[in-house]
Amino acid sequence: MILQPVRAFLQLAFILYGGAQWSIEANTPLNLDLNQKKTDCYAKFIQLAGRHIERIDVPFEDRSVPAIFSLPPTYKHGDQVPCVAIISGMDGWKELSVAMDGDKWLQRGFAVLAINGPGQGEALIREVWYDPDTYGKLGSSAFDLAAARPEIDPSRIVVHGLSFGSYWATTLAAAEPRFLTCGVAMTCFEAGGFSLFETASPTFKLRFIAVPA
């Protein structure tokens, strides 16, 4: 089927555009251009995905952070399915959180709410910086948004984090007890974060401490 390679090329394109942003920690014209190209490719991918995907905003204080909502390919109108809110790693972005085909969550009948939290991915383009004192508020906003959707069973909303998202997801779950459970992988719970901030890619630290110019 001709759509299959087109989808694959679009996926490769938005991954490469996102990767090209990796070493740019400021909202330079180049970074903004790459982000727009990534977003445009993903918009075209959505049209060919063969399942329901939509870009949405999750309220956060007086602003919002970007997210992508996906329904499983087997979803039928009127069903209520479980939902997983996913936070990827420090240098991850929401478009990477759901596989083009055979996604482990969608294949199990979960809807996926892939979020760029404050200080991460496209939230940085919006200049929504990380703040440890307010980050937990995102948990309640994400839960409320998912629970209000008619496709979602509000009693089966969970949160998952990968890499530094393990820390952020745990923060969300600690601040919002309505999440049914929290599961994390590749955990980053080292006190002080020395290994991550002082021995790994400097982009991790630059994104974590980003503040308005």
Side-chain angles (χ1 to χ4, degrees), residues 4-194:
Q4 185 72 10
V6 173
R7 287 192 305 145
F9 290 140
L10 287 170
Q11 183 186 48
L12 180 60
F14 68 68
I15 289 173
L16 291 175
Y17 281 128
Q21 294 180 265
W22 178 61
S23 62
I24 309 173
E25 75 279 3
N27 282 341
T28 64
L30 175 59
N31 194 16
L32 295 175
D33 183 55
L34 290 169
N35 186 74
Q36 188 60 55
K37 286 182 167 67
K38 176 187 70 179
T39 301
D40 291 344
C41 283
Y42 197 80
K44 294 177 182 177
F45 172 80
I46 289 175
Q47 295 174 9
L48 303 176
R51 51 184 170 81
H52 181 86
I53 308 174
E54 62 180 289
R55 289 175 55 90
I56 58 177
D57 289 332
V58 180
F60 180 71
E61 298 193 297
D62 60 342
R63 307 179 72 181
S64 65
V65 295
I68 293 173
F69 179 76
S70 303
L71 285 172
T74 56
Y75 179 79
K76 296 179 181 178
H77 180 72
D79 287 351
Q80 280 199 319
V81 297
C83 179
V84 56
I86 295 180
I87 307 289
S88 62
M90 182 73 73
D91 273 357
W93 56 96
K94 59 193 179 306
E95 290 85 356
L96 291 180
S97 295
V98 182
M100 182 177 76
D101 293 305
D103 181 79
K104 63 184 179 181
W105 295 103
L106 297 179
Q107 290 295 101
R108 290 169 171 80
F110 278 78
V112 176
L113 179 64
I115 306 170
N116 276 162
Q120 180 193 40
E122 198 176 335
L124 284 172
I125 297 296
R126 299 184 182 188
E127 299 187 345
V128 183
W129 319 110
Y130 174 72
D131 182 347
D133 293 328
T134 63
Y135 193 95
K137 296 179 181 179
L138 180 61
S140 296
S141 293
F143 187 96
D144 287 341
L145 186 148
R149 295 195 65 108
E151 310 97 330
I152 302 305
D153 179 351
S155 69
R156 294 188 292 165
I157 302 175
V158 302
V159 60
H160 169 67
L162 181 69
S163 191
F164 205 86
S166 66
Y167 176 80
W168 283 331
T170 303
T171 301
L172 298 188
E176 179 45 74
R178 291 176 295 172
F179 283 116
L180 181 62
T181 190
C182 174
V184 298
M186 298 170 61
T187 53
C188 293
F189 292 152
E190 179 188 16
F194 179 84

